[in-house]
Amino acid sequence: MWKRYGKAAGIFIFSMTDAELLHYITTDDPDEMEALFAKARNVRERYYGNAVYFRGLIEFTNCCKNDCFYCGIRAGGKKVERYRLSLEQILRCCAMGDMLGYKTFVLQGGEDPFFTDERIVEIVKAIRATYPNHAITLSIGEKERGSYERFFEAGANRYLLRHETANDAHYAKLHPASMSLARRKRCLFTLKDIGYQVGAGFMVGTPFQTPETLLEDLRFLEELKPAMVGIGPFIPAADTPFSKEAQGSFEQTLRMVALSRILLPKALIPATTALGTISSHGRERGLMAGANVVMPNLSPKAVRKLYALYDNKICTGDEAAECRLCMEGRIRSFGFAPDMRRGDAAV
Ligand code: SAH
């Protein structure tokens, strides 16, 4: 099973063979799964106890120049009602978030050409000026090194860029030919090199995914060693090429969360909204499988429904304060403790 092969600078490092990983990627034996989740919880507890970090998510644009086949806000989605938040609206979201106790703001959006480097720098600087000690996380896709550097200098600390799949052929089946896995991976290594805390990750159950490609995802995470790992089930989105495909498996998503925790013990791993969308206590069960972060929504209620990456997304009708309280209650009922500190990766 999971063999501990060493201890470096206080970190326990676990190794698993390809055969072991493939076994746990696919097992549907309830006892084996529970053993896997218990192991992941145990690893998480060693570094983070039962604390769960809160990140305030601001979805500031649903305009996108890319045409990812799975995504509900892809450029080709002609029925999507597009929106952009103004700097003032973004700052109002931050003020609300700060009032609710958040110490991390995550700015996520499509790859929207309106938000030039200058505009992103302006936004990051404005947030940084008001909140000198908060973490600012960007999730705005693939950029040139110079752009990432400018955002970092302006005050951004973290960057989320899921690799989506670490297999070239699979990547090509999920994206148009203009996009490449090599470029996405390069972005991740560049971000890390600049000094960002970097988040990679992938969806579970995308069309053409196999246990072997999931194994490659785990091996890529081991290679990149990101501070954060975002994993959620694929959920079909209307008016996309994959609208008729099956959604990802809830249990398999939990297994991938648990395996990521075991392989990257200190990673910050969110229990994602997508996980909560396909099962009523999905996020709580994500925490029980080794996750330690939640990302409640801070976006203005008026635009929530429009940031529809996939169908039936939860929490689109609530105010930020309701999401904050609801999440706290959910977390506590499963024995976890909300932690409103900034929550950088454990060192
Ligand atoms: N433009 C940014 C943010 C993308 S949206 C970027 O390129 O990183 C954030 C994540 O939502 C994506 O990385 C993807 O993994 C996930 N996502 C998109 N469509 C989805 C779907 N149909 N089901 C589940 N997750 C989806």
Tab-separated table of all heavy atoms in Angstrom, residues 92-103 105 134 298 320 340:
chain	number	residue	atom	x	y	z
A	92	ARG	N	-16.189	46.300	-4.110
A	92	ARG	CA	-17.329	46.106	-3.194
A	92	ARG	C	-17.421	44.644	-2.739
A	92	ARG	O	-17.726	44.368	-1.581
A	92	ARG	CB	-18.641	46.548	-3.851
A	92	ARG	CG	-18.943	48.037	-3.628
A	92	ARG	CD	-20.436	48.335	-3.758
A	92	ARG	NE	-20.943	48.154	-5.107
A	92	ARG	CZ	-20.803	49.059	-6.102
A	92	ARG	NH1	-20.172	50.199	-5.872
A	92	ARG	NH2	-21.286	48.815	-7.300
A	93	CYS	N	-17.142	43.732	-3.670
A	93	CYS	CA	-17.120	42.302	-3.287
A	93	CYS	C	-16.045	42.069	-2.224
A	93	CYS	O	-16.262	41.339	-1.256
A	93	CYS	CB	-16.806	41.408	-4.493
A	93	CYS	SG	-18.072	41.401	-5.760
A	94	CYS	N	-14.880	42.683	-2.423
A	94	CYS	CA	-13.785	42.512	-1.457
A	94	CYS	C	-14.190	43.077	-0.096
A	94	CYS	O	-13.915	42.467	0.946
A	94	CYS	CB	-12.510	43.202	-1.935
A	94	CYS	SG	-11.802	42.454	-3.415
A	95	ALA	N	-14.842	44.253	-0.108
A	95	ALA	CA	-15.242	44.879	1.157
A	95	ALA	C	-16.230	43.978	1.891
A	95	ALA	O	-16.122	43.773	3.104
A	95	ALA	CB	-15.856	46.247	0.886
A	96	MET	N	-17.171	43.428	1.147
A	96	MET	CA	-18.128	42.491	1.750
A	96	MET	C	-17.383	41.269	2.287
A	96	MET	O	-17.624	40.828	3.422
A	96	MET	CB	-19.161	42.066	0.687
A	96	MET	CG	-20.067	40.928	1.090
A	96	MET	SD	-21.063	41.282	2.534
A	96	MET	CE	-22.268	42.392	1.814
A	97	GLY	N	-16.461	40.757	1.500
A	97	GLY	CA	-15.681	39.589	1.917
A	97	GLY	C	-14.876	39.877	3.175
A	97	GLY	O	-14.855	39.071	4.109
A	98	ASP	N	-14.258	41.033	3.196
A	98	ASP	CA	-13.447	41.400	4.356
A	98	ASP	C	-14.333	41.483	5.603
A	98	ASP	O	-13.953	41.004	6.676
A	98	ASP	CB	-12.754	42.736	4.086
A	98	ASP	CG	-11.871	43.161	5.238
A	98	ASP	OD1	-10.958	42.397	5.595
A	98	ASP	OD2	-12.124	44.244	5.811
A	99	MET	N	-15.518	42.069	5.418
A	99	MET	CA	-16.439	42.203	6.540
A	99	MET	C	-16.846	40.817	7.068
A	99	MET	O	-17.026	40.617	8.260
A	99	MET	CB	-17.681	42.958	6.071
A	99	MET	CG	-18.474	43.601	7.157
A	99	MET	SD	-19.822	44.539	6.422
A	99	MET	CE	-20.979	43.244	6.065
A	100	LEU	N	-16.945	39.868	6.156
A	100	LEU	CA	-17.343	38.509	6.554
A	100	LEU	C	-16.159	37.698	7.068
A	100	LEU	O	-16.311	36.532	7.420
A	100	LEU	CB	-17.995	37.789	5.364
A	100	LEU	CG	-19.329	38.370	4.884
A	100	LEU	CD1	-19.758	37.735	3.566
A	100	LEU	CD2	-20.410	38.160	5.954
A	101	GLY	N	-14.977	38.309	7.065
A	101	GLY	CA	-13.817	37.664	7.674
A	101	GLY	C	-12.849	37.004	6.716
A	101	GLY	O	-11.859	36.413	7.134
A	102	TYR	N	-13.105	37.099	5.404
A	102	TYR	CA	-12.203	36.436	4.447
A	102	TYR	C	-10.841	37.125	4.420
A	102	TYR	O	-10.758	38.350	4.438
A	102	TYR	CB	-12.792	36.470	3.033
A	102	TYR	CG	-14.002	35.596	2.844
A	102	TYR	CD1	-15.281	36.127	2.924
A	102	TYR	CD2	-13.864	34.240	2.585
A	102	TYR	CE1	-16.403	35.332	2.752
A	102	TYR	CE2	-14.984	33.440	2.404
A	102	TYR	CZ	-16.252	33.994	2.490
A	102	TYR	OH	-17.358	33.199	2.319
A	103	LYS	N	-9.801	36.313	4.305
A	103	LYS	CA	-8.442	36.850	4.177
A	103	LYS	C	-7.825	36.485	2.828
A	103	LYS	O	-6.653	36.747	2.582
A	103	LYS	CB	-7.544	36.306	5.298
A	103	LYS	CG	-7.999	36.719	6.699
A	103	LYS	CD	-7.698	38.180	6.980
A	103	LYS	CE	-8.043	38.554	8.416
A	103	LYS	NZ	-9.484	38.370	8.708
A	105	PHE	N	-8.887	36.624	-1.382
A	105	PHE	CA	-9.809	36.911	-2.473
A	105	PHE	C	-9.314	36.180	-3.712
A	105	PHE	O	-8.152	36.319	-4.098
A	105	PHE	CB	-9.866	38.410	-2.773
A	105	PHE	CG	-10.275	39.252	-1.597
A	105	PHE	CD1	-9.508	40.329	-1.200
A	105	PHE	CD2	-11.435	38.960	-0.884
A	105	PHE	CE1	-9.884	41.110	-0.103
A	105	PHE	CE2	-11.823	39.737	0.210
A	105	PHE	CZ	-11.033	40.816	0.599
A	134	HIS	N	-3.979	40.605	2.998
A	134	HIS	CA	-4.797	39.529	2.446
A	134	HIS	C	-4.038	38.823	1.319
A	134	HIS	O	-3.134	39.387	0.706
A	134	HIS	CB	-6.100	40.080	1.862
A	134	HIS	CG	-7.108	40.494	2.904
A	134	HIS	ND1	-6.782	41.245	4.012
A	134	HIS	CD2	-8.439	40.253	2.984
A	134	HIS	CE1	-7.882	41.444	4.734
A	134	HIS	NE2	-8.906	40.859	4.132
A	298	LEU	N	-18.386	35.170	-3.520
A	298	LEU	CA	-18.531	36.581	-3.136
A	298	LEU	C	-19.059	37.423	-4.292
A	298	LEU	O	-19.182	38.641	-4.172
A	298	LEU	CB	-17.161	37.158	-2.739
A	298	LEU	CG	-16.602	36.916	-1.344
A	298	LEU	CD1	-15.258	37.626	-1.201
A	298	LEU	CD2	-17.568	37.432	-0.284
A	320	ALA	N	-23.605	36.722	-0.362
A	320	ALA	CA	-22.303	36.291	0.162
A	320	ALA	C	-22.391	35.892	1.630
A	320	ALA	O	-21.798	34.889	2.059
A	320	ALA	CB	-21.279	37.403	-0.029
A	340	MET	N	-10.567	31.209	9.392
A	340	MET	CA	-10.645	32.389	8.529
A	340	MET	C	-9.278	33.045	8.329
A	340	MET	O	-9.185	34.120	7.749
A	340	MET	CB	-11.640	33.406	9.107
A	340	MET	CG	-13.076	32.923	9.169
A	340	MET	SD	-13.730	32.296	7.587
A	340	MET	CE	-13.853	33.818	6.634
